[in-house]
Amino acid sequence: MLASGQVTFVKGDGRQGWRAGGPYDAIHVGAAAAEEHQALVEQLRAPGRLFVPVGTGSQWIWVVDKSVDGVVTREKRFGVRYVPLTDAPGE
């Protein structure tokens, strides 16, 4: 898949997303952020959806929708347990 160009690896801070590849129809964050990161919301296409676990003790899934006209709504859905989203290790 790498040779075909269907998959690309990008090294960076996932909390900032990847602007060069956006805008995105959907973004799923696979680790719990301490807070919602506005950079990810900004990279959503309109319409688009962000699915992100948020919290350091209690964690909740938040669904952030951007409508066709760019209006952003946020809904706290349900409690979860994800690994924490951390800083990248030093090189």
Side-chain angles (χ1 to χ4, degrees):
M1 292 185 82
L2 283 173
S4 72
Q6 293 178 341
V7 174
T8 303
F9 285 100
V10 177
K11 182 179 178 181
D13 184 344
R15 296 167 292 194
Q16 299 304 312
W18 186 44
R19 289 188 189 281
Y24 301 99
D25 296 324
I27 299 171
H28 171 261
V29 180
E35 60 192 26
E36 179 188 304
H37 295 281
Q38 185 60 31
L40 298 177
V41 176
E42 292 168 0
Q43 291 173 52
L44 284 175
R45 186 181 314 277
R49 174 169 281 181
L50 168 64
F51 183 91
V52 57
V54 179
T56 55
S58 296
Q59 298 173 353
W60 294 87
I61 288 295
W62 282 84
V63 175
V64 181
D65 287 313
K66 185 184 281 188
S67 68
V68 173
D69 58 358
V71 174
V72 175
T73 58
R74 293 164 173 81
E75 183 181 355
K76 183 178 177 181
R77 291 279 178 99
F78 47 85
V80 293
R81 281 282 192 213
Y82 276 68
V83 297
L85 184 61
T86 62
D87 291 335
E91 293 186 29

